[in-house]
C-alpha cells in the first residue's frame, strides 16, 4: 500500500467531516503492523505507546486486553500515570520506558498486588532504587525493575546517540544489578535503545557507516552485559532493544528477546528515508483553507504541530495534498513558506489553484505527538466506513 492510495481512501471517506481533524487509513495501518512483525523476524514486538497515544489503535494490534495479539506482545509506556491507566484497563505486560520520580504513582504500582505484577519500572541509578523503595513503604515489597543500559556508540571523545543511562560496561551494570537484588528488587529485564541506529534515516554514506559500526559494537557489548547481569541475578524475563528503524538489526542479536516499535504503525515523515523498509503513511491530518493572500499562497487554519527533537525543518509537518468536493484530491506541489513555517493559528502553504474552503492534507514529522492536538482519530476501514475513536487527549488523559 502506498501513501497515495491511503490518502485517496481517507479523503473520500471523510468529505463530510469538518477540518481540522486527523484520520488513519486502516488498510495502511494493518499493513504496517504486519510489516513490523515481518521485520522483527518473528520476535515479539512491544508497542511504544507514546508513538500511538490512542487506546483503540493499541487494542487493534494488541487485542482488547491490551496484552498480546499477532506478533505484538506488551506495551512500553512513557509515563507512570499512563502505565497505571493501561494496566487498570487490563494490560498485563507494561514496561516503563523511562525512569520516574513520581512517588505517588510508584506507591500505587508497588503497593497493589495486581498492578505490581503488571508494571515493570525502569531504572539506571541508585537514586531510582532509593525513590522506589521509599515509595513502596516496605522492604518486603519486591518491585519489578528493568535496567536501562547506554546503547550509544563512543569513538574517542565522540558520543553518537542519545544521552540516557549512565550504565554502560558489563561490570558496571552487573554491580548495579547485584545491588538492586540485595535490596529486594526483582531484576526482570535489561533495555538497550540504539537511537543512533533506530532514529537516523539512511541519508548519507557516513550515517550508514556509523550505523553499521554501532551495530557491531553493541552486539558484542550487549552480549557481555547480559552475561554479566544473569551471572548475578539469574535468568531474565526479557532483553529489550530496537525501534522502528532498527528492527532487523536488533532482532538478529541472539541475546535480544523482544523489540520495541510504535512509529512504524503510522509512519511519519521522519521514517521516509530508510533502506530497510518502504514508507507507507497511515496517518494524516486535514486543515481548512481560510484565505488566499495571493494566487500561489493559501492560508490554512492552525497547523503549528511541531515535533520534539532538534529545532529544524525535519520537525515541521509536511503538506502533501489539497482536496475539495468539486475537484477531488490533488497531490504534490505544496510547501511551507520559509519565513513563516507552520503557525499556531494559521499556516500559509505555497501552491497554485487552492481555494477558500479547500482542505490541505499534512503528514506529521513524528507519530504519536500529533494525537495531542486532536480529540479523536477517524479510522477509515477498507470498505470506506469511518470509525471515530478518542485519542488520549479525547479521553481526558494528559500524561505530560
Amino acid at each position: 500500500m502506498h501513501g497515495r492510495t491511503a490518502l485517496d481512501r481517507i479523503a473520500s471517506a471523510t468529505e463530510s467531516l469538518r477540518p481540522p481533524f486527523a484520520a488513519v487509513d486502516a488498510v495502511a495501518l494493518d499493513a504496517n503492523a504486519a510489516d513490523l512483525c515481518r521485520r522483527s523476524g518473528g520476535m515479539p514486538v512491544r508497542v511504544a505507546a507514546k508513538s500511538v497515544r490512542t487506546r483503540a489503535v493499541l487494542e487493534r494490534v494488541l487485542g482488547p486486553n491490551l496484552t498480546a495479539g499477532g506478533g505484538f506482545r506488551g506495551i512500553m509506556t512513557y509515563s507512570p500515570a499512563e502505565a497505571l491507566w493501561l494496566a487498570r484497563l487490563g494490560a498485563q505486560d507494561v514496561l516503563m520506558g523511562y525512569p520516574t520520580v513520581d512517588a505517588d504513582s510508584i506507591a500505587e504500582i508497588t503497593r497493589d498486588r495486581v498492578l505490581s505484577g503488571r508494571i515493570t519500572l525502569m531504572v539506571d541509578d541508585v537514586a531510582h532504587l532509593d525513590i522506589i523503595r521509599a515509595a513502596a513503604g516496605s522492604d518486603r515489597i519486591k518491585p519489578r525493575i528493568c535496567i536501562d543500559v547506554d546503547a550509544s556508540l563512543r569513538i574517542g571523545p565522540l558520543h553518537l546517540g542519545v544521552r540516557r543511562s549512565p550504565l554502560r560496561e558489563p561490570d558496571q551494570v552487573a554491580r548495579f544489578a547485584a545491588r538492586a537484588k540485595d535490596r529486594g528488587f526483582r531484576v526482570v529485564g535489561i533495555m538497550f535503545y540504539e537511537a543512533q541506529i533506530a532514529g537516523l534515516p539512511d541519508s548519507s554514506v557516513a550515517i550508514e557507516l556509523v550505523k553499521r559500526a554501532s551495530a557491531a559494537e553493541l552486539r558484542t557489548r550487549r552480549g557481555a552485559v547480559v552475561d554479566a547481569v544473569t551471572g548475578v541475578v539469574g535468568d531474565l524475563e526479557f532483553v529489550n532493544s530496537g525501534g522502528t528503524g532498527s528492527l532487523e538489526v536488533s532482532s538478529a542479536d541472539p541475546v535480544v528477546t523482544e523489540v520495541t516499535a510504535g512509529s512504524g504503525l503510522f509512519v511519519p515523515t521522519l521514517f521516509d528515508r530508510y533502506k530497510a523498509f518502504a514508507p507507507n503513511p497511515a496517518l494524516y491530518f486535514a486543515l481548512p483553507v481560510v484565505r488566499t493572500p495571493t494566487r500561489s499562497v493559501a492560508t490554512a487554519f492552525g497547523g503549528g504541530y511541531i515535533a520534539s527533537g532538534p529545532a529544524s525543518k525535519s520537525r515541521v509537518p509536511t503538506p502533501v495534498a489539497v482536496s475539495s468536493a468539486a475537484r477531488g484530491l490533488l497531490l504534490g506541489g505544496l510547501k511551507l513558506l520559509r519565513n513563516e513555517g507552520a503557525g499556531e493559528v494559521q499556516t500559509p502553504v505555497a501552491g497554485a489553484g487552492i481555494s477558500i474552503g479547500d482542505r490541505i492534507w499534512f503528514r506529521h514529522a513524528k507519530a504519536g505527538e500529533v494525537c495531542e492536538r486532536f480529540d479523536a482519530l477517524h479510522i477509515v476501514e477498507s470498505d470506506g466506513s469511518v470509525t471515530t475513536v478518542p485519542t488520549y487527549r479525547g479521553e481526558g488523559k494528559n500524561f505530560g
Side-chain angles (χ1 to χ4, degrees):
M1 304 299 167
H2 299 286
R4 177 185 294 270
T5 304
L7 187 51
D8 279 341
R9 285 192 292 266
I10 289 175
S12 175
T14 60
E15 281 184 355
S16 63
L17 299 180
R18 294 181 182 178
F21 62 81
V24 175
D25 179 63
V27 175
L29 176 65
D30 292 343
N32 290 338
D35 196 50
L36 289 175
C37 295
R38 176 194 64 79
R39 293 177 54 218
S40 74
M43 185 172 289
V45 179
R46 185 179 293 274
V47 182
K50 77 176 183 64
S51 299
V52 178
R53 304 191 201 206
T54 304
R55 179 157 57 107
V57 177
L58 292 174
E59 290 174 343
R60 191 178 186 104
V61 296
L62 284 166
N65 65 351
L66 294 166
T67 299
F72 295 90
R73 186 181 70 196
I75 297 176
M76 178 179 287
T77 61
Y78 67 95
S79 156
E82 178 194 24
L84 282 163
W85 181 57
L86 293 172
R88 287 178 174 135
L89 288 171
Q92 297 177 38
D93 182 5
V94 181
L95 172 63
M96 280 286 300
Y98 309 85
T100 180
V101 295
D102 182 346
D104 291 340
S105 293
I106 294 171
E108 287 188 63
I109 293 168
T110 56
R111 300 183 188 192
D112 185 286
R113 182 180 59 82
V114 174
L115 295 174
S116 63
R118 293 181 174 183
I119 300 173
T120 302
L121 298 168
M122 189 66 68
V123 297
D124 63 30
D125 197 290
V126 171
H128 297 143
L129 303 180
D130 293 340
I131 292 168
I132 295 170
R133 180 54 69 202
S138 170
D139 290 340
R140 290 178 295 178
I141 293 175
K142 298 184 177 297
R144 294 171 53 88
I145 61 171
C146 174
I147 301 174
D148 191 358
V149 178
D150 176 33
S152 63
L153 175 64
R154 295 184 185 177
I155 304 174
L158 294 179
H159 179 104
L160 303 177
V162 294
R163 298 286 183 176
R164 291 175 66 103
S165 173
L167 302 175
R168 180 177 177 84
E169 300 304 327
D171 289 348
Q172 181 190 22
V173 183
R175 287 194 300 271
F176 178 79
R179 187 165 185 176
K181 179 183 178 183
D182 290 344
R183 295 184 61 179
F185 290 86
R186 288 182 289 166
V187 180
V188 299
I190 307 177
M191 184 179 77
F192 303 80
Y193 175 52
E194 60 274 26
Q196 71 282 1
I197 303 176
L200 287 179
D202 300 310
S203 56
S204 70
V205 173
I207 288 178
E208 291 182 46
L209 289 173
V210 166
K211 290 170 75 167
R212 284 200 290 269
S214 182
E217 183 276 335
L218 184 57
R219 185 182 179 97
T220 299
R221 181 163 56 86
R222 183 162 44 203
V225 169
V226 171
D227 286 344
V229 171
T230 55
V232 297
V233 302
D235 291 340
L236 298 167
E237 292 182 18
F238 62 86
V239 175
N240 179 282
S241 190
T244 289
S246 64
L247 293 185
E248 295 87 354
V249 174
S250 298
S251 61
D253 190 332
V255 304
V256 175
T257 66
E258 64 174 37
V259 289
T260 297
S263 297
L265 293 170
F266 291 152
V267 188
T269 60
L270 283 176
F271 288 91
D272 281 355
R273 292 183 293 170
Y274 283 76
K275 292 185 176 179
F277 59 98
N280 182 32
L283 172 62
Y284 296 82
F285 64 90
L287 302 181
V289 176
V290 295
R291 58 184 174 185
T292 53
T294 75
R295 291 183 178 181
S296 60
V297 174
T299 303
F301 171 77
Y305 312 151
I306 308 303
S308 61
S312 69
K313 65 181 297 184
S314 69
R315 260 54 185 183
V316 299
T318 300
V320 294
V322 60
S323 69
S324 67
R327 292 175 294 141
L329 181 69
L330 302 173
L331 287 115
L334 305 177
K335 63 180 180 179
L336 299 179
L337 302 189
R338 178 181 297 179
N339 291 336
E340 295 193 53
E344 178 186 7
V345 292
Q346 68 170 36
T347 295
V349 174
I354 304 175
S355 302
I356 291 174
D358 288 352
R359 57 187 59 175
I360 298 177
W361 294 92
F362 292 78
R363 289 174 61 206
H364 201 259
K366 298 185 78 172
E369 291 181 18
V370 72
C371 293
E372 299 291 350
R373 296 287 185 164
F374 297 97
D375 290 336
L377 292 182
H378 302 285
I379 300 180
V380 178
E381 300 292 346
S382 59
D383 62 0
S385 62
V386 180
T387 303
T388 301
V389 299
T391 59
Y392 280 7
R393 168 176 162 158
E395 297 203 62
K397 302 299 179 182
N398 180 352
F399 298 122

